[in-house]
Amino acid sequence: MTEEPRGRLRTYKGTGVSPGIAIGRALILEKRGGSIYRVPIRPDDVAKELRRFDQAIAHTKAEIEDLREKVTRSMGDEYASIFDAHAMIIEDPSFVDEIRQRIESELISAEWAVTTVKDELLARFDSFEDAYLRERGEDISDVARTLIESLEGNARHDLSEIEHDVIILADDVTPSDAVHYNRKPIVGFATESGGRTSHTSIIAKSIFLPAVIGVPRLTEMIDNEELVIIDGWEGTIHVNPSRAMIEECLSRERRHREQEGRLLENRDVPPVTRDGRTVTLRANIELVPEVNDAIRFGAEGIGLYRSEFLYISKSPDLPSEDEHYEVYRELLEKMSPNTTIIRTFDLGGKKLAREVIGSDEDNPVLGLRGLRLCMRHRDMFRTQLRALYRASVHGDLWIMFPLVSNLQEVRHVKALLKEIERQLEAEGIEFRKDIPVGIMIEVPAAALIADILATEVDFFSIGTNDLIQYSLAIDRGNENVEYLYEPFHPGVLRMIRGVIRAGSEANIPVSLCGEMAGDPIFTAILLGLGLEHFSMSPASIPMVKSVITNLKYSDSRRIAEQALLRKTAQEIEEYVIEQVATRIPQGLSRFG
């Protein structure tokens, strides 16, 4: 990257994770971990070093508890529960004992032992294919940093005496940092790393703090005190903006807020097309606190709850049946009477493969994962299924299984469900006996035999993220071939149409929970293919609803029919955009 002159206007692009525009002077926080070195200790000093470490553990536990109480008071229990993961890490013997063991066996300082154990755990998390799971490593970083600060006797930065608004710029911001940013003079932050689904991003959104992440070398390219605009809508950072640019950004902020307000005014408006076709809009979530966003944006239920987080928060231990139960009960009660679809663990591949499987595979993405892995490790699976059945009395629970490729898998898991029902009945435990059981259609073979699978399940949910990758043989994370990742590919659309038709003929509901569902550019064609149930990130719901209520179903049918006559993804995309752009109101910038 070419270095740009200081003092001039510069613009950097990242990822906006918390919307809004903030203007302030740059405040660069010192990089963390830069002063940790391998410091040897003498054998006679081991006991002293262990005492110092124990004191740091106690201090860190107290700080986490203080933080949790603070967040409970200011943001509520749901957000405070984010710090339960921190508490579990600091109380996890496998984490703490490993550090102690290294101090004793390697004769190293506690700071270095913490750093090395933390780095090894992060390397394991970084190997996960799923970005969401990778981001769970931030909790380990956060706890390790607090431990090291305790060992070094450092206090957090006290910024309260600064008299002007500041934008925090850092290599990374942890959840506990973000909680402390919930006050003046901090008006926004930007980082070099981080992810959309990180706890830090969730907290930033909850306290309405504009934030941009993923700007490489950010802290090197901007100086302290330079004037900075953080644009959390666009994911941009402007340095030394002109007066005209400031005015333009503020104007755009007003327009966004006005548009968001208008869209949210329609929160209770049913998603019905202009000619009377009713669809259902549900939310995809990973954490219980996100239920609040789902409700705020008008979701009519949860279309996909990814239960993998339970594993991450407990790894390397397995969550107990009661821990499962409490999470599912809370979800169902919050969304009642609307439906909550919980997907059983979609683990394996590179996700916790070593912990669960016990060995590596040559090609784990196509190996023992999803339902395959759960059926191989039935004790673990039974724990989750028993908890789901117990929780079923608290709301409208549907259970969904990932990565199904043939009918036998469905029959085997249904037999397991019957076994669990008999077990619970024998124990006198109450549960619903009519829980809908469905599968994700994300493997081409499953899509092609959807008519057969539809005779054995109560619903389908199309997972387009994987279905597209497997159908086109494209890893969208591979920069060499990502240009071939084409959701408008005729083959993909025909496959989706076939699954929807199979569901319709078998009279079972079909939803779509991949990213296509939340992108308004696809709404018309999915509607035209016959899709009636969409599931997406909560924030996408108002925009998709706006498109639906401004379209006629009959027009969507024609658009879909004509689109499928085109021969390439580009031809289909251009046609759909042209057709939809004439039918939507002002303000849908995706089509502008």
Side-chain angles (χ1 to χ4, degrees):
M1 183 179 294
T2 304
E3 204 68 52
E4 296 184 70
R6 297 292 208 259
R8 291 188 178 181
L9 168 65
R10 286 111 66 196
T11 297
Y12 304 110
K13 188 78 176 81
T15 301
V17 293
S18 181
I21 289 175
I23 303 173
R25 294 286 170 183
L27 179 64
I28 299 171
L29 294 189
E30 184 181 351
K31 282 181 177 290
R32 304 181 184 103
S35 60
I36 306 300
Y37 300 100
R38 182 185 177 95
V39 177
I41 61 174
R42 296 176 303 178
D44 292 346
D45 289 335
V46 168
K48 178 182 174 184
E49 195 66 9
L50 289 175
R51 281 196 301 275
R52 200 166 71 87
F53 176 63
D54 288 342
Q55 290 168 354
I57 288 284
H59 182 270
T60 301
K61 285 182 179 177
E63 184 158 327
I64 291 171
E65 183 56 32
D66 287 346
L67 199 56
R68 196 186 189 293
E69 290 180 8
K70 173 185 171 67
V71 174
T72 300
R73 289 195 301 272
S74 61
M75 299 164 65
D77 282 334
E78 292 86 354
Y79 289 97
S81 66
I82 287 175
F83 294 96
D84 288 347
H86 293 203
M88 284 190 283
I89 292 168
I90 199 65
E91 292 172 357
D92 185 346
S94 64
F95 175 69
V96 175
D97 291 349
E98 177 66 19
I99 297 170
R100 282 201 180 94
Q101 189 272 332
R102 292 194 185 197
I103 293 171
E104 291 177 295
S105 63
E106 299 180 21
L107 297 178
I108 53 176
S109 67
E111 288 91 335
W112 185 249
V114 171
T115 300
T116 55
V117 171
K118 180 255 305 182
D119 288 346
E120 288 176 7
L121 288 170
L122 288 184
R124 193 182 304 175
F125 275 71
D126 285 344
S127 71
F128 297 158
E129 184 186 50
D130 188 298
Y132 170 75
L133 298 179
R134 284 199 303 273
E135 289 162 11
R136 302 284 73 79
E138 70 175 10
D139 295 318
I140 295 169
S141 291
D142 205 348
V143 171
R145 182 174 66 87
T146 306
L147 257 176
I148 291 172
E149 286 177 348
S150 298
L151 287 163
E152 294 181 333
N154 292 338
R156 287 184 184 274
H157 301 278
D158 182 3
L159 308 176
S160 61
E161 294 182 2
I162 298 177
E163 295 180 349
H164 55 74
D165 290 348
V166 298
I167 304 286
I168 297 291
L169 306 178
D171 58 341
D172 194 11
V173 166
T174 65
S176 45
D177 284 329
V179 169
H180 287 288
Y181 292 170
N182 188 20
R183 60 173 182 268
K184 285 286 187 180
I186 299 166
V187 294
F189 71 81
T191 66
E192 298 175 359
S193 58
R196 280 186 181 278
T197 59
S198 67
H199 286 161
T200 300
S201 300
I202 291 170
I203 288 175
K205 280 188 285 189
S206 74
I207 58 179
F208 307 105
L209 194 67
V212 174
I213 63 170
V215 184
R217 298 177 57 225
L218 175 69
T219 56
E220 300 172 27
M221 298 187 297
I222 301 175
D223 291 332
N224 274 315
E225 288 296 314
E226 285 194 292
L227 187 63
V228 171
I229 297 178
I230 296 289
D231 186 338
W233 301 104
E234 302 289 340
T236 53
I237 302 170
H238 305 291
V239 186
N240 295 317
S242 64
R243 171 52 58 185
M245 177 175 280
I246 293 173
E247 292 297 330
E248 198 279 330
C249 285
L250 292 175
S251 175
R252 192 166 65 253
E253 168 79 347
R254 285 192 294 273
R255 290 198 301 274
H256 275 294
R257 295 299 179 193
E258 288 169 3
Q259 182 187 50
E260 185 179 76
R262 285 196 300 274
L263 290 171
L264 284 176
E265 283 176 5
N266 295 328
R267 192 187 76 157
D268 298 323
V269 172
V272 181
T273 64
R274 290 172 57 195
D275 52 353
R277 174 85 163 183
T278 299
V279 300
T280 305
L281 301 181
R282 296 186 179 124
N284 297 342
I285 64 170
E286 289 88 15
L287 300 168
V288 174
E290 292 176 278
V291 171
N292 296 333
D293 285 338
I295 294 171
R296 185 165 74 90
F297 286 108
E300 302 164 278
I302 301 300
L304 172 63
Y305 171 70
R306 301 181 176 97
S307 60
E308 293 84 56
F309 178 69
L310 283 167
Y311 250 113
I312 297 303
S313 64
K314 291 291 294 180
S315 177
D317 298 324
L318 301 177
S320 69
E321 184 177 314
D322 284 343
E323 286 168 335
H324 279 287
Y325 167 78
E326 287 301 327
V327 170
Y328 304 148
R329 178 191 59 75
E330 186 176 357
L331 271 176
L332 290 163
E333 287 180 347
K334 282 177 176 288
M335 287 311 301
S336 185
N338 289 316
T339 297
T340 296
I341 300 176
I342 295 179
R343 183 179 70 186
T344 57
F345 292 139
D346 188 14
L347 297 173
K350 297 178 182 176
K351 307 174 192 175
L352 295 180
R354 189 165 62 182
E355 288 83 351
V356 178
I357 301 173
S359 63
D360 294 327
E361 297 179 294
D362 289 339
N363 193 354
V365 176
L366 300 181
L368 195 58
R369 49 170 294 212
L371 181 60
R372 306 166 187 174
L373 183 142
C374 289
M375 291 300 285
R376 176 71 67 86
H377 297 268
R378 294 202 183 188
D379 286 346
M380 172 194 77
F381 199 24
R382 280 194 183 92
T383 300
Q384 180 177 32
L385 294 175
R386 280 178 56 93
L388 284 167
Y389 269 77
R390 285 173 55 197
S392 65
V393 297
H394 298 285
D396 185 26
L397 169 67
W398 296 17
I399 299 176
M400 181 163 69
F401 301 108
L403 203 70
V404 170
S405 61
N406 66 53
L407 186 61
Q408 283 302 102
E409 290 176 298
V410 176
R411 289 177 173 170
H412 288 159
V413 75
K414 287 175 68 177
L416 179 59
L417 293 180
K418 287 295 179 189
E419 184 183 316
I420 287 171
E421 288 180 13
R422 288 194 293 271
Q423 189 180 64
L424 292 174
E425 280 178 339
E427 296 173 21
I429 295 175
E430 187 183 8
F431 64 91
R432 264 184 54 197
K433 296 184 178 177
D434 58 348
I435 302 172
V437 173
I439 59 173
M440 289 196 71
I441 302 293
E442 52 190 338
V443 175
L448 293 171
I449 62 166
D451 58 327
I452 298 172
L453 295 170
T455 63
E456 293 277 349
V457 298
D458 300 309
F459 67 96
F460 286 153
S461 185
I462 305 173
T464 47
N465 298 353
D466 277 344
L467 183 62
I468 295 169
Q469 290 196 100
Y470 292 142
S471 299
L472 304 181
I474 295 299
D475 178 356
R476 61 178 177 165
N478 183 332
E479 61 182 16
N480 295 314
V481 295
E482 63 180 352
Y483 70 99
L484 291 171
Y485 185 86
E486 298 176 320
F488 276 115
H489 191 291
V492 171
L493 296 178
R494 291 181 190 195
M495 214 171 283
I496 292 172
R497 180 182 60 180
V499 174
I500 295 171
R501 281 182 176 174
S504 177
E505 289 169 3
N507 198 29
I508 65 170
V510 178
S511 68
L512 193 149
C513 60
E515 289 181 9
M516 287 176 73
D519 190 335
I521 195 174
F522 298 108
T523 303
I525 195 165
L526 291 174
L527 190 63
L529 291 174
L531 189 71
E532 294 180 320
H533 306 279
F534 295 68
S535 190
M536 63 201 75
S537 67
S540 299
I541 291 174
M543 183 69 80
V544 171
K545 183 189 290 186
S546 179
V547 175
I548 288 170
T549 55
N550 282 281
L551 281 173
K552 286 184 178 179
Y553 176 58
S554 56
D555 288 343
S556 298
R557 291 294 300 270
R558 280 192 289 274
I559 291 171
E561 288 169 3
Q562 291 299 313
L564 285 174
L565 296 176
R566 269 65 180 172
K567 297 178 180 177
T568 69
Q570 183 179 353
E571 290 172 9
I572 293 175
E573 180 173 1
E574 289 173 356
Y575 171 75
V576 171
I577 290 176
E578 177 189 342
Q579 293 298 310
V580 175
T582 62
R583 294 173 170 84
I584 60 174
Q586 296 292 325
L588 299 184
S589 57
R590 179 68 176 82
F591 300 92

